[in-house]
Amino acid sequence: MIQIDGKPVEAEGTLLDACRAAGAEVAAMCKDDRLSVGGHCRSCMVEVNGKLVAACSTPARDGAEVVTESERLQAYRRDLGELMLSECDPRGRVGRRLAAWGADGSRYGRAPRIDRRDTSHPFIHFDANACILCRRCIRACEEIQGQFVYAVEGRGANAHLAWGGGRFADSECVSCGACVTACPSGALTNADMERAEKVTRPGEAHVVRTTCGYCGVGCQMDVHVAGLQAAARVTHIEGAAGSPVNHGHLCVKGRFAHGFSRHPERLTTPLVRKNGELVPATWDEALGVIAEGFARHRGKVAGLSSSRCTNEENYLFQKLVRGAFGTNDVDCCARVCHGPSAAGMRIALGTGAATNSLADIERADFLLVTGSNTTEAHPVTGARIRQAALGGTPLVVIDPRAIELAELADVHLQLRPGTNVPLLNSIAHVLVEDRLVDEDFVAARTEGWEEFRAFIKTQSPEATEPVTGVAAAKVRQAARMLGRAKRPMLCHGLGVTEHLQGSEAVMLLVNLGLLRGAIGREGVGVNPLRGQNNVQGAADMGCQPDSTTGYGAVDDPAVRERFERVWGRPLPSNVGRRLPQMLADARSGVLKCLYVFGEDVVQTDPDTHRTRAALENLEMLVVQELFLSETAKLAHVVLPAASFLEKDGTFTNGERRIQRVREALPPLAGTRPDWRILCDLMAACGWAQPFQTPSDVMDEIARVNPAFAGVSYARLEGDGLQWPVPDAAHPGTPILHAESFPRGRGKLSCVDFVKSPELRDGLTLVTGRLLEHYNCGTMTRRSGLDELVADDVLEMHAADATRRGIADGDVVMVTSDHGAIPLRARVSDRIAPGTLFTTFHFPGTRTNELVGEVRDRLSDCPEYKVVAVEVVKHTA
């Protein structure tokens, strides 16, 4: 026991922990419970057996007698406060604390009032006058985000916070805002909050917990709102501290990219095309036009659902297409991203979802990240991987570029684009050759071992090196690291899936997991890092032409009977069209109507000219959107929807975690939540729905989807649930396949390399994302993130640039077999000679005009990662 001001408490942790347990108030300006102990500010001094010690860094030991208030301590704290005031002018809780100590600047004088503010960054501002050098920002940057932006330079009175010189906007900051949340003195501030303080009136602010609507990590966030009803607006966003997904952390998009919600370009009225022009219409008129047109062309209607929208909305969309339109011609954007993950894992394991949880990153003793620029595409998960690597977890990265994680990797396998299959085969070869296979697991839980063992003998690193460009010695080093690990975790992204052999490459990743017995337990797994916020949920809800909600086959009579019993309508039994077939049939005139729900296919789909031609040939194109997107500009009817900040529902993240989405703002006047629009359209089509709230929709989902049978809004409070949740008492399933696989035994796959027709001897273009933007940039570009990155650029190696007379910053013309676009060149050593990289966030770039019709052989996912191009300096 330990005595705190005469009160006995257990001697656990530090003296500060013991003081808190006793209810004693002790200042700790440099203490942040998320971070390691700093012990810099000395504001937490207490008396222990007559000596002054720092409570935050002193262990609590039995028998200690601690005093937190005394004349000696009061004098010390006042003097400390006077010293602080002589060097800085802290605000907020630190300023209030110094005043409470009686410090007023009378002893040593006050710091001179000179302007030392840096407001160059659009979201994070720094005022050196308020900095108390507590170093919380330094530790937050290092220990939460895994970056090293800040340092303290100088000594004594000349000590100051620094970030490498120059403006803060030009620093290496990734704009996550972790430093701002840690700063106690007001030196680092959130520009959103600064603006809000000037206009927010007392009593009108409130906080809503919801789920981020950007990537598939599924961060929980607290949305701070001021104003009532139509005047409501987001003032700022913070990470939810208790969330197992993000532990209070957010990326630049989650924290700052909310301005789109009240952007003046938001659609606020339905639009109907008349005499070639889109003109405002009433909701009744717009819904009537759609219902009449779809009825007239029954049997020639298809729908494309939205991974940006909720589970309930995706469920209603496929219900509309199947039950009202009488067709299985429904698809979603998983087709153009992680369709191969689902296809490959379903073949190998029996289901296409991540086997493990994000928390297993910290439990793993080896990490393989392939085809994922995680720190940019999934920043909060990327930060967890960074922290694991910095903490000593061995990391292997497979990527054509020297991405951020590659800089931390023990081994970076910088392969030639389009050669995942031979590289992954060569890793498996080493595992087998060096007897690094979990033979017990393979014997008990896999099939095809003898055939696989014979096949893999031919796939040595030496045999594949001429194809992949990766030195055999490096492959062997990486494979042996995997083979020696007890808890290896495999993560992959679109750099694996968006290829001619995307599904087959995923099957080879599963091979590695099976060979190492790395499926079905903690700290391991094969885990696709899902792209959009609800791409997992859209597929779960049945927005696919071959499967219903819960992945039941549409040609299975027992599956259809389950839905028909609940819906009261017959379901079509034939497998429907995938998105590529929809567009092809639209071009030929076979398909007459397409309902595009929250997707911008003109900007995101390959071969833009052919996509546009398909949409222009439709009798009716309906688009449901937030803004007048490139696709909406071609529509016959446009329906204005509510954003994720303006509605209730659920998203399912990449670890199968179903989480609540809650309305933080009322929908803009004239718009409606997507679930309401779909119910209204179903009523206009003669099939009224009984739902009054999204919760009602989830209750029906639980009736038709066995994996959601135990899901309800009441049970989702808190941290949500990871499916399958087979009954109302089930706690959810963080780890799949613990005892068996849905297909029985895991399949070891033998896959020969098939060279893409786009993989040639010249330059190869790879496309992908940037940290600061999200897919086509619809929301981020309208939230101020274009102040950080304002255009797409072409990353190329100096040797390729010099050979073509191109200098950094030159405008170049990039030409493929399918189109040509201008881009500004960025000469970089992150990319290998012969490989180029660009993004697709800005409509004016038209990146996907370059991408052709090569698709994954099993899932029809476009090959965005291998495009044969040539580059010349632009002379126009």
Side-chain angles (χ1 to χ4, degrees):
M1 298 295 288
I2 188 172
Q3 297 285 328
I4 306 293
D5 295 328
K7 181 178 180 179
V9 296
E10 291 293 332
E12 297 179 350
T14 65
L15 288 180
L16 183 60
D17 296 326
C19 289
R20 289 174 173 175
E25 184 179 354
V26 175
M29 296 178 186
C30 68
K31 180 76 169 82
D32 186 317
D33 291 339
R34 302 171 298 170
L35 309 174
S36 62
V37 173
H40 303 294
C41 70
R42 314 316 263 183
S43 65
C44 65
M45 299 294 277
V46 295
E47 286 191 61
V48 180
N49 302 333
K51 296 180 180 179
L52 294 185
V53 299
C56 71
S57 56
T58 303
R61 293 189 174 94
D62 283 336
E65 295 183 3
V66 180
V67 175
T68 66
E69 287 293 339
S70 68
E71 289 186 6
R72 184 183 180 193
L73 284 169
Q74 290 172 4
Y76 167 81
R77 290 164 182 165
R78 181 181 178 188
D79 196 52
L80 177 64
E82 292 287 350
L83 283 169
M84 286 185 176
L85 290 177
S86 73
E87 296 179 349
C88 59
D89 182 23
R91 298 183 294 275
R93 58 185 179 273
V94 172
R96 292 190 294 272
R97 173 71 65 180
L98 300 190
W101 286 347
D104 58 9
S106 60
R107 183 165 186 181
Y108 304 112
R110 281 189 171 269
R113 303 286 299 187
I114 58 176
D115 186 8
R116 295 193 292 169
R117 283 174 56 84
D118 186 319
T119 58
S120 60
H121 193 283
F123 304 117
I124 299 172
H125 293 169
F126 176 65
D127 185 355
N129 290 312
C131 181
I132 63 172
L133 292 180
C134 66
R135 294 168 173 78
R136 279 167 63 160
C137 57
I138 297 175
R139 284 177 287 137
C141 187
E142 295 176 0
E143 298 174 21
I144 296 175
Q145 180 59 32
Q147 305 291 145
F148 299 88
V149 173
Y150 298 107
V152 172
E153 291 185 354
R155 296 175 65 84
N158 294 319
H160 63 278
L161 190 68
W163 47 79
R167 304 185 316 153
F168 185 71
D170 300 325
S171 72
E172 296 298 314
C173 177
V174 296
S175 309
C176 70
C179 57
V180 177
T181 67
C183 179
S185 68
L188 284 161
T189 52
N190 180 332
D192 284 345
M193 294 177 67
E194 289 184 9
R195 288 187 286 267
E197 288 171 358
K198 297 175 182 178
V199 297
T200 302
R201 292 177 295 189
E204 67 175 17
H206 62 281
V207 181
V208 177
R209 173 70 53 85
T210 191
T211 305
C212 183
Y214 285 103
C215 78
V217 175
C219 294
Q220 290 291 283
M221 57 193 201
D222 291 332
V223 181
H224 292 250
V225 179
L228 304 173
Q229 300 305 319
R233 63 201 177 280
V234 175
T235 61
H236 65 285
I237 294 175
E238 300 286 354
S243 168
V245 175
N246 56 308
H247 300 287
H249 194 32
L250 292 173
C251 76
V252 60
K253 296 184 287 290
R255 193 179 302 279
F256 297 117
H258 55 78
F260 74 90
S261 64
R262 291 299 184 259
H263 195 277
E265 292 179 5
R266 281 285 299 274
L267 294 168
T268 56
T269 185
L271 304 173
V272 173
R273 190 170 297 278
K274 296 179 180 179
N275 300 319
E277 299 290 331
L278 285 171
V279 298
T282 66
W283 275 98
D284 286 345
E285 179 186 4
L287 295 172
V289 169
I290 297 169
E292 188 279 328
F294 285 177
R296 179 160 34 92
H297 295 291
R298 186 175 176 82
K300 299 178 180 180
V301 179
L304 179 63
S305 193
S306 176
S307 296
R308 288 188 291 152
C309 293
T310 65
N311 287 318
E312 294 77 5
E313 291 159 349
N314 279 282
Y315 174 80
L316 287 170
F317 188 82
Q318 60 86 38
K319 183 177 183 181
L320 167 71
V321 173
R322 290 188 164 105
F325 303 160
T327 178
N328 284 315
D329 291 339
V330 60
D331 213 344
C332 68
C333 86
R335 184 67 53 208
V336 297
C337 60
H338 269 290
S341 289
M345 293 178 74
R346 194 176 297 126
I347 291 169
L349 302 176
T351 188
T355 64
N356 285 64
S357 303
L358 293 172
D360 283 313
I361 292 170
E362 286 82 23
R363 300 180 183 121
D365 66 358
F366 170 86
L367 293 166
L368 173 67
V369 177
T370 177
S372 168
N373 188 3
T374 322
T375 56
E376 300 210 35
H378 304 87
V380 172
T381 296
R384 295 177 83 158
I385 295 173
R386 276 190 65 93
Q387 292 292 358
L390 290 167
T393 302
L395 171 66
V396 170
V397 170
I398 301 175
D399 201 283
R401 302 166 66 217
I403 58 173
E404 186 178 319
L405 287 181
E407 298 171 3
L408 297 175
D410 296 84
V411 181
H412 174 207
L413 304 179
Q414 193 168 12
L415 78 170
R416 188 182 184 195
T419 62
N420 287 311
V421 165
L423 181 60
L424 294 172
N425 273 334
S426 70
I427 294 173
H429 171 96
V430 178
L431 294 179
V432 175
E433 180 183 66
D434 288 6
R435 301 181 64 83
L436 297 172
V437 174
D438 185 333
E439 295 178 356
D440 291 340
F441 186 92
V442 168
R445 297 196 56 185
T446 72
E447 65 182 33
W449 166 241
E450 294 301 330
E451 179 187 358
F452 177 79
R453 183 165 58 177
F455 164 79
I456 210 69
K457 286 181 179 179
T458 65
Q459 305 292 312
S460 72
E462 291 74 17
T464 60
E465 181 177 340
V467 178
T468 66
V470 180
K474 274 198 163 186
V475 176
R476 290 185 178 277
Q477 180 186 0
R480 287 164 182 158
M481 291 171 63
L482 168 62
R484 296 185 187 114
K486 295 180 179 179
R487 297 182 305 281
M489 186 175 188
L490 315 180
C491 301
H492 70 273
L494 304 186
V496 171
T497 61
E498 292 179 343
H499 289 276
L500 175 70
Q501 289 187 281
S503 297
E504 291 158 298
V506 171
M507 292 158 62
L508 300 189
L509 280 170
V510 175
N511 280 352
L512 301 182
L514 294 173
L515 291 172
R516 292 295 304 124
I519 298 177
R521 54 191 174 91
E522 278 193 349
V524 300
V526 179
N527 301 285
L529 299 174
R530 294 284 184 170
Q532 295 200 53
N533 55 297
N534 201 35
V535 65
Q536 179 69 59
D540 295 345
M541 292 301 104
C543 293
Q544 301 179 105
D546 59 346
S547 59
T548 61
T549 307
Y551 301 100
V554 296
D555 54 4
D556 183 337
V559 170
R560 294 199 306 276
E561 192 277 333
R562 184 169 71 241
F563 283 82
E564 289 166 354
R565 187 171 60 250
V566 174
W567 291 5
R569 288 203 171 196
L571 266 70
S573 59
N574 59 303
V575 173
R577 299 177 178 95
R578 294 173 172 177
L579 176 58
Q581 287 74 49
M582 293 178 190
L583 295 175
D585 286 350
R587 283 191 294 271
S588 69
V590 173
L591 185 71
K592 300 296 185 182
C593 304
L594 182 63
Y595 189 169
V596 179
F597 168 43
E599 294 292 338
D600 189 1
V601 292
V602 171
Q603 191 174 343
T604 61
D605 272 47
D607 206 340
T608 306
H609 296 299
R610 287 167 60 83
T611 299
R612 183 180 290 272
L615 300 182
E616 289 174 340
N617 201 43
L618 290 165
E619 294 291 326
M620 176 171 286
L621 172 63
V622 176
V623 176
Q624 196 160 308
E625 257 295 358
L626 303 178
F627 298 94
L628 195 66
S629 65
E630 298 302 302
T631 303
K633 292 174 184 176
L634 303 178
H636 300 90
V637 181
V638 179
L639 301 176
S643 76
F644 77 92
L645 291 168
E646 301 157 0
K647 59 186 170 185
D648 290 315
T650 59
F651 293 152
T652 303
N653 76 349
E655 59 176 0
R656 298 171 285 103
R657 188 183 298 272
I658 311 156
Q659 300 182 108
R660 286 280 282 114
V661 177
R662 297 177 181 86
E663 181 183 301
L665 300 172
L668 283 178
T671 70
R672 296 180 183 179
D674 294 279
W675 73 271
R676 186 73 266 164
I677 296 172
L678 293 166
C679 286
D680 292 343
L681 179 56
M682 294 170 87
C685 292
W687 191 21
Q689 297 298 300
F691 310 119
Q692 300 301 311
T693 67
S695 178
D696 299 334
V697 182
M698 179 57 75
D699 291 343
E700 181 169 299
I701 294 169
R703 294 174 63 194
V704 298
N705 181 1
F708 277 55
V711 175
S712 67
Y713 275 28
R715 295 203 65 211
L716 293 176
E717 290 300 321
D719 297 333
L721 293 166
Q722 290 171 271
W723 66 256
V725 190
D727 59 64
H730 195 279
T733 310
I735 300 172
L736 293 180
H737 318 311
E739 302 296 333
S740 63
F741 299 110
R743 70 181 306 278
R745 286 173 171 260
K747 177 180 172 60
L748 289 165
S749 303
C750 302
V751 179
D752 284 308
F753 174 54
V754 178
K755 185 177 179 180
S756 168
E758 292 283 339
L759 189 56
R760 305 171 192 171
D761 292 334
L763 298 174
T764 302
L765 175 68
V766 177
T767 67
R769 294 185 192 173
L770 285 179
L771 167 68
E772 293 81 3
H773 291 287
Y774 169 76
N775 288 2
C776 53
T778 301
M779 299 188 295
T780 53
R781 286 185 286 106
R782 294 178 172 92
S783 296
L785 270 66
D786 53 347
E787 294 186 51
L788 298 173
V789 174
D791 58 357
D792 299 305
V793 300
L794 182 72
E795 198 172 287
M796 64 190 309
H797 191 272
D800 294 323
T802 300
R803 193 174 299 117
R804 291 162 177 79
I806 296 168
D808 188 70
D810 283 349
V811 176
V812 299
M813 185 61 68
V814 186
T815 304
S816 74
D817 291 347
H818 320 286
I821 63 171
L823 282 169
R824 182 167 52 85
R826 175 177 296 162
V827 178
S828 170
D829 59 2
R830 293 179 58 181
I831 202 106
T835 301
L836 309 172
F837 176 80
T838 194
T839 52
F840 46 80
H841 300 305
F842 294 85
T845 305
R846 310 187 315 279
T847 300
N848 285 322
E849 287 188 11
L850 301 173
V851 182
E853 287 293 308
V854 178
R855 296 179 181 273
D856 173 52
R857 302 199 303 171
L858 302 182
S859 72
D860 273 343
C861 177
E863 189 170 49
Y864 293 106
K865 305 304 184 190
V866 181
V867 183
V869 298
E870 188 46 75
V871 178
V872 297
K873 189 172 181 178
H874 194 35
T875 56

